[in-house]
Amino acid sequence: MEDAAGDLKQALPNVCDSVQIHVEVHQKSSSVAKKEDIRMSVLKLLNRHNIVFGDYKWTEFDDPFLNNNVQSVAIVDTDLKLKDRQPIDLSTSSLSLHVFHLNEEGPTSENLEEENDDITAAHHWVLPAGPPGTGKTSLCKALAQKLTIRLSYRYRYGQLIEINSHSLFSKWFSESGKLVTKMFQKIQELVDDRDALVFVLIDEVESLTAARSAFKAGTEPSDAIRVVNAVLTQIDQIKRYPNVVILTTSNITEKIDMAFVDRADIKQYIGPPSTAAIFRIYLSCLEELMKCQIIYPRQQLLTLRELEMIGFIENNVSRLSLVLKDISRKSEGLGGRVLRKLPFLAHALYIQSPSVTMTTFLQALSLAVDKQFEEKKNLADCV
């Protein structure tokens, strides 16, 4: 294997050396193996496969120890470092291995009044948790997930508190200020644990900031502005701690007033998924469908990086991946939630058998995309 790797490196003169590569190792929830033993086995795996072409993920292993203890080994975020798309020589790269368990218990709800209160003020996750999606909120959760894994040498685990902005007004009218303070006191208890990296996510923050504008215009009751001022005050108090990250999302950016904007260190516009992002979404869905044998037999699909490496030339290996690339391109403009649903709608609408070949499934997916744009147009015409 080492001779073959050496031959491959000679055949690829532009192999990239001496870069930092992050390797995320998902340890099975049932595994009690020591992290150091897992690291050693993963390093042996990487030594056997030391030339890679960008992000890559192993889910099956020849090593029984890895099979028993590891869900996946993933080389990640190489796009951030390799703009010229050259292969990577892992043997000369600086490897950062991040071994982690996923918390599978799901979120708990934070209700600040009666225990049987059906209005949820916030959701609370222990990180790392389950896989993220593709929307703004999911991207914030993904960022929290990624930082928890990357900073595991400093913090033992992460805490994610997602605050329900709408509930601040719908339920807490008249006692809003005190209840916001009570909620942040609970957050403060998490922050006081220096082993925890705490993320506070305020979703749809424009519902808070709009209240300030309405109050100034004389159309909003004074209690509403007390909610907003209480949130701002509490944010100012906890953001001083080194183990706190505050995240907010908004669908209506023009509604956010400067009191919130000035507090943000980073402002990032998230538009619709690009062709590359859509390709990855579809690819992950197809992998799941092949794993369940809804698509059968299993077909090897190339990543966009691998298609680039062969110059997008069509052959027996690349043909289906190029079809998926074309479907991804014509899917531009669709949101992440819709894109995740489309492979399953394709099966429900256009496939009558319990299993289907990849070629037939991609034809159905293409039809489902066309139908989605047709429905959007019909809805727009009705407005």
Side-chain angles (χ1 to χ4, degrees):
M1 179 63 75
E2 291 180 359
D3 291 340
D7 293 340
L8 178 59
K9 186 174 180 180
Q10 289 182 357
L12 297 167
N14 293 324
V15 169
C16 181
D17 297 337
S18 301
V19 294
Q20 185 178 29
I21 300 299
H22 291 282
V23 182
E24 296 182 356
V25 183
H26 177 186
Q27 186 174 354
K28 290 183 176 180
S29 57
S30 59
S31 170
V32 293
K34 295 180 179 178
K35 286 189 176 182
E36 191 54 40
D37 292 338
I38 290 178
R39 289 175 188 273
M40 294 302 296
S41 293
V42 170
L43 287 173
K44 290 178 183 177
L45 169 71
L46 299 178
N47 189 50
R48 294 195 302 271
H49 304 277
N50 58 6
I51 300 294
V52 293
F53 298 87
D55 290 7
Y56 192 81
K57 188 173 188 177
W58 289 271
T59 56
E60 298 177 356
F61 311 98
D62 296 331
D63 182 350
F65 177 80
L66 288 178
N67 257 336
N68 291 332
N69 293 284
V70 172
Q71 190 75 31
S72 64
V73 175
I75 295 172
V76 297
D77 299 339
T78 57
D79 286 344
L80 302 177
K81 299 174 180 297
L82 304 174
K83 296 181 180 179
D84 46 358
R85 306 292 189 183
Q86 69 266 44
I88 306 164
D89 182 4
L90 296 179
S91 65
T92 60
S93 300
S94 174
L95 300 178
S96 294
L97 269 63
H98 311 280
V99 182
F100 63 94
H101 279 101
L102 285 186
N103 184 286
E104 298 178 351
E105 295 181 358
T108 58
S109 298
E110 298 288 352
N111 298 322
L112 298 186
E113 296 189 278
E114 298 85 4
E115 291 185 0
N116 61 352
D117 191 354
D118 60 354
I119 300 296
T120 301
H123 289 100
H124 178 191
W125 283 263
V126 178
L127 301 177
T134 54
K136 294 184 299 300
T137 302
S138 295
L139 284 171
C140 288
K141 294 176 181 176
L143 175 61
Q145 178 98 324
K146 183 71 70 173
L147 288 174
T148 300
I149 293 171
R150 291 292 173 83
L151 297 175
S152 58
Y153 66 90
R154 172 63 182 83
Y155 303 102
R156 287 197 299 109
Y157 57 93
Q159 302 272 16
L160 172 62
I161 306 296
E162 181 183 5
I163 297 175
N164 183 349
S165 298
H166 294 292
S167 71
L168 297 175
F169 299 106
S170 63
K171 180 64 177 177
W172 297 347
F173 193 79
S174 81
E175 290 194 0
S176 53
K178 287 190 292 183
L179 291 172
V180 168
T181 301
K182 185 176 179 181
M183 178 174 63
F184 274 89
Q185 284 174 348
K186 292 192 174 186
I187 295 174
Q188 182 66 55
E189 292 173 6
L190 302 177
V191 173
D192 288 339
D193 180 359
R194 293 298 184 259
D195 286 333
L197 181 59
V198 180
F199 300 88
V200 179
L201 171 57
I202 306 175
D203 213 4
E204 298 182 0
V205 73
E206 72 273 4
S207 63
L208 294 179
T209 57
R212 288 171 61 91
S213 300
F215 176 74
K216 292 174 183 177
T219 59
E220 189 76 20
S222 60
D223 190 77
I225 197 64
R226 283 198 291 269
V227 175
V228 181
N229 289 338
V231 171
L232 288 172
T233 300
Q234 296 297 330
I235 286 175
D236 286 339
Q237 288 182 4
I238 67 169
K239 73 178 184 180
R240 301 179 288 108
Y241 293 87
N243 60 329
V244 174
V245 179
I246 298 172
L247 305 165
T248 66
T249 70
S250 175
N251 291 316
I252 314 171
T253 54
E254 64 269 17
K255 293 286 187 180
I256 306 176
D257 69 22
M258 294 308 296
F260 274 77
V261 174
D262 290 346
R263 285 166 166 80
D265 295 317
I266 299 174
K267 300 105 177 165
Q268 180 64 54
Y269 171 75
I270 305 297
S274 64
T275 298
I278 294 170
F279 186 95
R280 290 185 179 185
I281 291 170
Y282 284 156
L283 193 61
S284 67
C285 292
L286 294 174
E287 285 292 336
E288 287 297 319
L289 292 172
M290 285 190 284
K291 187 182 297 183
C292 300
Q293 295 191 341
I294 293 174
I295 298 177
Y296 186 84
R298 172 175 282 276
Q299 296 281 337
Q300 178 63 44
L301 293 173
L302 302 180
T303 64
L304 279 180
R305 171 71 66 83
E306 290 167 333
L307 288 173
E308 286 179 342
M309 294 297 297
I310 64 172
F312 298 100
I313 296 173
E314 182 174 348
N315 53 38
N316 290 335
V317 176
S318 65
R319 181 178 61 83
L320 292 174
S321 302
L322 289 171
V323 172
L324 182 60
K325 176 175 173 289
D326 291 338
I327 295 173
S328 301
R329 182 183 295 115
K330 78 173 184 176
S331 300
E332 285 187 358
L334 298 177
R337 289 188 182 91
V338 173
L339 292 167
R340 283 281 180 191
K341 294 176 183 176
L342 277 176
F344 306 100
L345 289 174
H347 187 273
L349 294 173
Y350 301 108
I351 295 172
Q352 306 303 320
S353 58
S355 65
V356 65
T357 65
M358 180 66 77
T359 298
T360 302
F361 191 88
L362 290 177
Q363 292 170 350
L365 179 60
S366 181
L367 290 173
V369 173
D370 293 338
K371 182 176 177 61
Q372 189 66 37
F373 278 107
E374 181 182 344
E375 291 175 352
K376 285 185 67 175
K377 182 178 182 300
N378 290 339
L379 286 172
D381 291 342
C382 292
V383 175

